[in-house]
């Protein structure tokens, strides 16, 4: 689990760097627009592409920390053992969903690569975003399988 936690933390750092990039581009574009009347061509494209990748990169850490929304209205009165089993089942279902997302995103990226699909203004290859999303989706699936099999204990910080 230590390796998975380290990889999830690395993904979150990369996501933070992308969010910082988005912020800098947006601020630069606003300053440019309000001072000169011009704007950066393609700023929206970079923002959209980076946001998609950043969201995917935050998913592994969210799963490790059990940061997803849990609706426990119906399970609140169940025993701890029953809730633990339901949590493991939820982690398994999440693993299946993220495995499917990784698979389909990789196929989408391959299709974008083969077709040479590019963004409209900057002609950036679209497959790059897909390629950035597949590893964190796959990592989230692996974390979900690990949690479904062994529970949700994080490694100690010794």
């Amino acid at each position: 689990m230590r390796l998975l936690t380290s990889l999830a933390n690395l993904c979150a750092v990369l996501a933070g760097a992308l969010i910082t990039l988005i912020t800098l581009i947006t601020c630069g574009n606003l300053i440019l627009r309000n001072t000169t009347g011009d704007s950066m061509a393609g700023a929206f494209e970079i923002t959209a592409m980076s946001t998609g990748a950043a969201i995917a990169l935050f998913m592994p850490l969210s799963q490790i920390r059990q940061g997803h929304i849990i609706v426990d209205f119906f399970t609140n009165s169940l025993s701890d053992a029953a809730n633990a089993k339901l949590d493991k089942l939820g982690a398994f279902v999440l693993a299946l969903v993220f495995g499917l997302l990784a698979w389909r995103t990789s196929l989408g990226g391959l299709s974008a690569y083969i077709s040479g699909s590019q963004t409209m203004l900057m002609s950036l290859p679209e497959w790059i975003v897909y390629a950035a999303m597949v590893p964190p989706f796959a990592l989230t699936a692996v974390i979900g399988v690990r949690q479904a099999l062994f529970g949700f204990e994080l490694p100690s910080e010794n």
Side-chain angles (χ1 to χ4, degrees), residues 63-147:
Q63 182 59 26
I64 286 243
R65 294 186 177 178
Q66 295 173 275
H68 300 296
I69 295 173
I70 296 174
V71 180
D72 60 356
F73 179 76
F74 296 108
T75 62
N76 213 12
S77 61
L78 296 178
S79 68
D80 288 343
N83 276 317
K85 287 180 183 179
L86 287 173
D87 286 344
K88 286 182 176 185
L89 176 64
F92 181 70
V93 171
L94 178 129
L96 290 176
V97 169
F98 272 90
L100 180 66
L101 281 171
W103 170 53
R104 297 306 297 176
T105 303
S106 63
L107 291 179
L110 188 58
S111 176
Y113 179 79
I114 290 170
S115 68
S117 181
Q118 298 177 341
T119 61
M120 197 158 87
L121 295 176
M122 297 184 72
S123 297
L124 297 171
E126 290 181 351
W127 67 267
I128 292 172
V129 178
Y130 291 93
M133 294 170 82
V134 172
F137 283 166
L139 178 60
T140 304
V142 170
I143 291 167
V145 168
R146 166 62 170 80
Q147 290 173 331

Side-chain angles (χ1 to χ4, degrees), residues 31-73:
I31 290 169
L32 190 63
R33 187 180 311 149
N34 290 319
T35 56
T36 66
D38 290 332
S39 64
M40 297 165 36
F44 177 79
E45 290 177 346
I46 293 172
T47 299
M49 293 173 75
S50 299
T51 301
I55 290 169
L57 285 163
F58 277 127
M59 288 294 127
L61 187 62
S62 182
Q63 182 59 26
I64 286 243
R65 294 186 177 178
Q66 295 173 275
H68 300 296
I69 295 173
I70 296 174
V71 180
D72 60 356
F73 179 76

